[in-house]
Amino acid sequence: MSNKIYIFDTTLRDGEQVPGCQLNTIEKIEIARQLEKLGVDIIEAGFPVSSPGDFNSVVEISKAVSNPTICALTRAVKKDIEVAADALQYAKKGRIHTGIGTSPYHIFNKLNSNPDEIIKRAVEAVKFAKKFVEDVEFYAEDAGRSDNEYLARVVEEVIKAGATVVNIPDTTGYCLPYEYGEKIAWLVNKVPNIDKAIISTHCHNDLGMATANSVSGIINGARQVEVTMNGIGERAGNTSLEEVVMTLRSHKDLNFDTDIDTTQIMKTSSLVSTLMRMPIQPNKAIVGRNAFSHSSGIHQDGVLKNRENYEIINPADVGVKESSIVLTARSGRAALKHRLTVLGYDPEPAKMEEIYTKFLDLADKKKDITDEDLEIIAGRAKTAESRPLELVSLQVMCGKELIPTATVQVSFNGDIFTETASGNGPIDAAFSAVKTLVKRKVRLEEFLVQAITRGSDDLGKVHVRVEHKGQTYYGFAAHTDIVTASVESFLDAIGKIQ
Ligand code: KIV
Ligand code: ZN
C-alpha cells in the first residue's frame, strides 16, 4: 500500500456551510488558487445543484486551477449528478462525489427506506456518475454510526459499480479514535475488492476528535483525508488540514506523507479566515496566534537554549517567521536579556538587575510588555544613577467637588523630604508640592503627555520643559500612572539644574 496520503480539501463545500461565512465566486477562486499553491490533491468546489452560485463557483474554479482534481458533490439523485457533470465541464480532472446515508438513523428516519433499497440506490448513482466521469467517489453518510457488516456490503457493491474512492464519513463526529480506526481496518479486511478503491476519511469535530479519528483512519488503511483549512465546517467543524498534515510531517515514524507545501499553511489559513470573516481561536493548533508563542519564564528560557526543548514544529515550516517570546510578569531574566539584546542593549549584570526589577514592576501593572516599553525601561535605567532627585511616594486626592491635593515624598542624596500642596488639578497640586520641596524658582513652560501604544493599561510618556534663571531644562518619564509620570518627569528636569 502506498504511503502517500491524498489531501481532499472541502473548505469551499463543507467548510462554506458555516452560517454567515458564505463566499462569493471571486473569493472562492482566490482561495482555490491558494489551495493549489498549498498543494492539495483534490478541491471540493461545491454542491452544484444546490444553487446557481454554487454551480457557477464549480465552473469558475475548474477554469482557474490546473493541478488539483475538482470535485462536485451530489446526492444519489440523477438530476444532481447531471448538474454536477455539467458544472465540471472545464475541469482538467473532474470527480463526482455522490452518496447516501447508511446508518439506521438515515435509512429509516431520514430516507424512510430499507437497507437493500439503499444499496440499490447507491449502486445506481455510482453507475450513472460513471457515464460522465471516470473518477467517482461514493460517500456512505453517517458511516460513523452505521453497522460495520452492512457498511462492508455497501462498499463492496459501489466499488463493483465503479467507485474509485469510498468515503467513510463520521458525519456526526461521534466515533472514538480506536473505533473509527477499527471501522477502516474492518473494511480493509472484509471487502474483497477494496484494493480497487481508495478509502477516504471525513471526520467531524463534535467531540473534538476529528484529527485523531482521521489519523487513526490513515494508520488503519485510509489513503485520502477530507479536511478544511482552520477546521471550519458545520457545527464544531471538520478535520483541520493543517493538523493532519503537520501530524504526519512531525511523526516521521508513521511513514506517511502528503504533497503539501507546509510553508504555505499560514498564508492559506489567514486568507480563509479573512475572506470568511471567521477569526481563528488564539490557541488553535498550528495556526492560532499563540501556537508558537511562549510566555512562562521556564519555557522561554528553554526555547532560548534550544527551540526544540518546547517546540515540536519549526514555525518556519508552516510559514511563521519565528516563535515569539511574550514578555509578561512570568518571564525570567533570560527572556528579558534576549529581547534587550535584539533591541541593541547590552546591560552589565548590575544594570540588568535594575532593569529586571523595573520590568517586573511594570509587568505587574500591564499584561504584555512591548519593545517600546523596554526601550523606556532600559533607557531610564541607563541614567538612573545621574538622578539626584527620586520620587519615593506620591499620594493624590482629586475628583468632583474635592480640592485636588498631593503629598509628595522625594529623596535627595539619600535624605527623604515630604510636602503637601493643593492646586487646580492633581498634577498642578503635585508640581506645587515639588516646587516647595526643592526650594527653587522653576517655571513650567511645556508639558506633553502621550499614551505609548494601545489600551488603558499602557504606559504614558511625559515630557516637560522648565525654565530656571533663564536656562531651559528638559525632563522625561514614563509610567502606567500618568500623575506619577508627570511628577517624575518634573523631578528629572529639576534634577538637571546645577
Ligand atoms: O459529513 C458528511 O457526511 C458529508 C458528506 C456529504 C460527505 O459532508
Ligand atoms: Zn461533512
Side-chain angles (χ1 to χ4, degrees):
M1 219 187 259
S2 153
N3 290 346
K4 154 145 178 166
I5 302 302
Y6 289 88
I7 298 295
F8 177 113
D9 183 277
T10 184
T11 305
L12 298 174
R13 199 280 296 169
D14 221 350
E16 215 242 350
Q17 286 175 212
V18 178
C21 294
Q22 277 65 43
L23 300 164
N24 62 36
T25 304
I26 294 170
E27 291 168 331
K28 285 188 187 176
I29 291 172
E30 198 178 340
I31 292 179
R33 289 207 168 111
Q34 181 56 33
L35 290 171
E36 183 172 33
K37 272 200 203 138
L38 180 67
V40 306
D41 299 285
I42 302 109
I43 294 177
E44 187 163 50
F47 181 11
V49 84
S50 69
S51 72
D54 248 40
F55 180 90
N56 198 33
S57 298
V58 176
V59 171
E60 295 306 325
I61 291 170
S62 298
K63 291 180 189 166
V65 303
S66 310
N67 290 329
T69 295
I70 304 300
C71 180
L73 185 80
T74 79
R75 293 165 296 182
V77 171
K78 282 193 173 168
K79 176 78 184 152
D80 286 25
I81 295 169
E82 279 165 355
V83 174
D86 196 16
L88 287 171
Q89 61 187 295
Y90 299 103
K92 282 100 206 153
K93 291 175 271 177
R95 175 184 294 182
I96 290 177
H97 189 191
T98 190
I100 196 161
T102 54
S103 70
Y105 295 95
H106 283 238
I107 299 172
F108 303 110
N109 304 347
K110 182 180 138 182
L111 300 163
N112 200 14
S113 183
N114 63 68
D116 290 337
E117 176 62 23
I118 292 294
I119 293 185
K120 196 163 151 267
R121 285 170 64 178
V123 167
E124 273 170 17
V126 171
K127 284 191 176 156
F128 190 63
K130 281 297 252 196
K131 292 187 198 291
F132 303 97
V133 286
E134 173 46 36
D135 194 3
V136 174
E137 173 168 341
F138 174 82
Y139 64 85
E141 194 175 4
D142 206 13
R145 293 186 299 172
S146 300
D147 171 65
N148 285 351
E149 296 267 3
Y150 176 65
L151 194 59
R153 272 178 62 207
V154 176
V155 168
E156 183 179 351
E157 292 308 318
V158 296
I159 294 175
K160 266 192 216 154
T164 44
V165 181
V166 282
N167 179 11
I168 310 300
D170 183 20
T171 306
T172 56
Y174 176 74
C175 288
L176 295 168
Y178 85 90
E179 223 181 339
Y180 189 75
E182 276 177 8
K183 198 173 276 290
I184 302 296
W186 168 269
L187 296 174
V188 169
N189 295 323
K190 296 283 171 187
V191 176
N193 54 359
I194 198 71
D195 58 314
K196 307 261 181 327
I198 289 175
I199 302 179
S200 182
T201 67
H202 179 114
C203 300
H204 280 265
N205 205 30
D206 298 66
L207 293 174
M209 284 187 281
T211 298
N213 284 345
S214 303
V215 172
S216 177
I218 292 170
I219 292 169
N220 285 283
R223 289 295 173 268
Q224 175 180 288
V225 275
E226 306 199 359
V227 289
T228 60
M229 203 64 222
N230 303 336
I232 58 164
E234 292 251 28
R235 309 183 308 278
N238 287 57
T239 306
S240 115
L241 178 148
E242 62 278 11
E243 291 175 13
V244 173
V245 167
M246 292 316 293
T247 299
L248 299 184
R249 216 33 84 82
S250 308
H251 278 270
K252 300 247 182 304
D253 49 310
L254 290 178
N255 207 21
F256 296 116
D257 210 356
T258 66
D259 286 345
I260 295 294
D261 173 0
T262 60
T263 62
Q264 293 289 328
I265 284 180
M266 213 49 215
K267 196 171 167 202
T268 317
S269 162
S270 309
L271 182 71
V272 168
S273 165
T274 309
L275 293 183
M276 289 198 160
R277 292 105 188 146
M278 189 142 182
I280 301 167
Q281 73 191 62
N283 60 329
K284 165 83 185 62
I286 322 290
V287 293
R289 116 172 90 80
N290 293 346
F292 297 101
S293 65
H294 306 273
S295 65
S296 88
I298 296 172
H299 287 209
Q300 291 179 340
D301 184 46
V303 166
L304 291 171
K305 284 181 177 138
N306 183 340
R307 189 190 59 72
E308 289 178 30
N309 286 342
Y310 282 100
E311 276 179 359
I312 56 164
I313 295 169
N314 185 343
D317 290 349
V318 293
V320 174
K321 266 203 228 98
E322 57 173 20
S323 15
S324 63
I325 301 279
V326 183
L327 292 176
T328 68
R330 293 185 307 283
S331 300
R333 286 172 181 76
L336 178 63
K337 180 129 180 34
H338 169 78
R339 198 67 215 152
L340 286 170
T341 310
V342 171
L343 292 174
Y345 293 92
D346 184 17
E348 317 228 303
K351 277 277 176 282
M352 182 61 208
E353 275 314 294
E354 193 182 321
I355 296 173
Y356 186 60
T357 308
K358 285 184 194 307
F359 159 75
L360 286 183
D361 190 41
L362 180 61
D364 272 340
K365 296 190 183 98
K366 74 189 287 260
K367 275 180 259 132
D368 297 339
I369 305 292
T370 64
D371 286 351
E372 279 164 308
D373 297 334
L374 286 186
E375 301 259 11
I376 287 163
I377 295 172
R380 198 164 147 71
K382 264 189 208 159
T383 58
E385 78 281 4
S386 63
R387 287 170 188 274
L389 288 169
E390 278 288 346
L391 181 66
V392 177
S393 76
L394 170 68
Q395 197 179 16
V396 289
M397 190 181 67
C398 62
K400 206 168 171 214
E401 308 292 334
L402 284 177
I403 297 171
T405 312
T407 301
V408 180
Q409 270 199 326
V410 171
S411 88
F412 177 64
N413 288 340
D415 294 323
I416 309 272
F417 300 88
T418 310
E419 189 59 62
T420 299
S422 54
N424 62 12
I427 293 172
D428 186 48
F431 279 19
S432 290
V434 169
K435 279 190 214 166
T436 312
L437 265 177
V438 299
K439 298 187 177 70
R440 286 221 162 100
K441 210 167 170 299
V442 284
R443 194 160 57 86
L444 182 66
E445 288 193 325
E446 198 176 299
F447 175 67
L448 180 72
V449 183
Q450 276 176 297
I452 289 180
T453 41
R454 291 156 285 267
S456 58
D457 67 344
D458 231 325
L459 278 180
K461 276 198 293 191
V462 178
H463 290 266
V464 296
R465 194 176 76 210
V466 301
E467 184 271 336
H468 173 70
K469 291 188 177 167
Q471 291 276 340
T472 302
Y473 300 91
Y474 293 90
F476 168 77
H479 200 280
T480 48
D481 177 333
I482 204 69
V483 183
T484 303
S486 303
V487 177
E488 285 187 335
S489 72
F490 195 44
L491 288 171
D492 187 36
I494 295 172
K496 287 172 187 157
I497 301 171
Q498 293 303 309

